[in-house]
Amino acid sequence: MRGKIQWLRRAVQISVILMVLITPFLVQYRVLLANNEIEALRRGNNGRFSGKIYLTIDRWMRRPSKEEASNLNSAAEREKVARRLENVRGNVWSAEIFGFSLTDPLGGIESIFASRTVTKALLIGMLIPVLVTLVLGRVFCSWICPAGFLFELTDKMRNFLVKLGIPLRSISYSTLNKYTLLVGGLAMAFFVGLPLLGYFYPPALLGREFHQFADTQFYESLAGASTTGPFLFSGALLFIFFIFLIEITLAGRMWCRYFCPGGALYAILGSRRIIRIANTTSACTNCFECIRVCPMGLNPMATEPGLECDNCLVCLTSCQPGSLSLDFPFKKIIQANGLAKEDKPAQKIAS
Amino acid sequence: MGAVIPVFFPLLEKLPKNSRFKKFLRPPGAKAEEEFLRDCIGCGQCANVCPNKCITLYGLEGGLENLATPKINARAQGCILCMACTQVCPTAALEKLEPTPEGKQAVAMGTAFVSEDICYSFAGRTCGVCYHACPLPGKAMTLGLYEQPHVHAEFCVGCGLCEQACVHMPQAIRVVPIANLNERLRKKGIPA
């Protein structure tokens, strides 16, 4: 069961990344569909990636039932499908998924600070992320953030390079840096009215870049020729690539640990989280495995995991004696009534 | 570091905002420029729902304060006033409007100005393309002799369809964004 938690986490991360990748193309496909340009696209398709991707989406949309295949040629049916597709839009920064409006609390709070007013739409959008963070802690960083997933790859690459015998530096900064950035950015928004934090917040940048990419592909598919040349992306991906390089060579997980303003906000929101990692010290063998694997560079053996823990549960998975466990308020009551299974790994080792 | 930043705030407020760059139209329902820039978080949902892809996002060409905010380049594609973008804004930087005649009239994106020296109709060659593109014909725009367009600023919402449709190159009718409009009128000595 413990090992499967990490599989679950990877599945969630990958599905979020797929959503971030596919949503921009769905958005552009909706425009093609509403303007009845799919037929023209099919006729003018000369094997370019841009044309292929929209025709592939078209095939998906027509697959569920054979009757709809013919109906999608009628204007009314096209409008119905386009209306349905309108409910999927945005990116991790702010999105709407089948009626659920989701806005990153960082963007929301920045907007509130800059405009000095609170709007209903914003509160509705921030409701679900804030509630989840209050209960589960900083899970956005470890379970959802697509940039976090990319930066986790740097850890693997570092391990690989170390195995090859390449010397890598690992500089550590103060974790207070990210709180300073958050406070500085919010103060900037409040006093000057410039909401700047969204411009160097990797998940927002990634979403924006993919939308830009799908947009260029839209025009390319209609033109049947390249409209942009090889430079599809703007500076934002360069910024992320720059962080990537630094994290591999100089400082492991630099951005998430020390500099991410969004992570800082989630950490503050989740500081009183209900579900925490706890060490039942009786089984602990002081193997220090959890300290070695912790992506945030923390010490899960300590009784209080603290502000920085993002509940990625890597330490829980790696703990061989089964000493670490999830702690929540009603756990003791549940265990006393025999509703929860006892932790088995400890018994296995004993036998 | 945190203690040093507030020292520069008064200086940052003095910076000339927006003055160096060409301004484009904002989507319908946008608040006044200053307020809009404070509210908008650059999520791009308005650009996502736009059915004729007239809303695009600023890159770095508009300066830091405009980065990732929506714009409408009227010459490339004007706004058809479907009001889809005003329904989806998560921060209410675009206020909700309905695609009814009253809702369309409530839009204030800018005002069209005719360059009479290059307009075909004013040179005696009957054209009238901009009038036929106007979503509020007879109110925002009326026709004179040789189909000469006359814009009525109190009804013109600045959707930019006339600028998109203009057959003259460069365009003989231009929509000036509402954020530029007051400056421009002030320069001419007309009270805003």
Side-chain angles (χ1 to χ4, degrees), chain A residues 27-28 30-31 89-90 93-95 107 111 114-115 119 121-122 188 191-195 199 208 211 215 218-219, chain B residues 1-2 5 9 12-13 17 37-43 45 48-51 53 64-65 67-68 88-92:
Chain A
V27 164
Q28 306 299 336
R30 179 179 58 78
V31 179
R89 59 172 183 267
W93 188 226
S94 179
S111 177
S115 64
T119 55
L122 195 51
M188 186 86 150
F191 290 112
V192 187
L194 273 179
Y199 303 151
R208 217 172 275 153
H211 274 285
D215 195 59
F218 173 86
Y219 289 111
Chain B
M1 187 183 147
I5 291 172
F9 284 165
L12 282 167
E13 260 184 343
K17 273 192 191 168
L37 285 176
R38 282 166 176 267
D39 269 7
C40 178
I41 57 171
C43 67
Q45 286 195 50
N48 285 358
V49 295
C50 185
K53 287 176 74 66
L64 203 56
E65 69 270 17
L67 186 59
V88 301
C89 185
T91 61

Side-chain angles (χ1 to χ4, degrees), chain B residues 24-46:
Chain B
F24 291 102
L25 302 172
R26 293 292 182 195
K31 292 176 180 170
E33 185 72 8
E34 278 276 299
E35 253 181 279
F36 179 80
L37 285 176
R38 282 166 176 267
D39 269 7
C40 178
I41 57 171
C43 67
Q45 286 195 50
C46 47

Side-chain angles (χ1 to χ4, degrees), chain B residues 119-129 143-150:
Chain B
C119 177
Y120 282 129
S121 292
F122 280 91
R125 303 174 180 202
T126 306
C127 170
V129 167
L143 287 181
L145 188 65
Y146 304 128
E147 309 216 346
Q148 291 168 353
H150 294 286

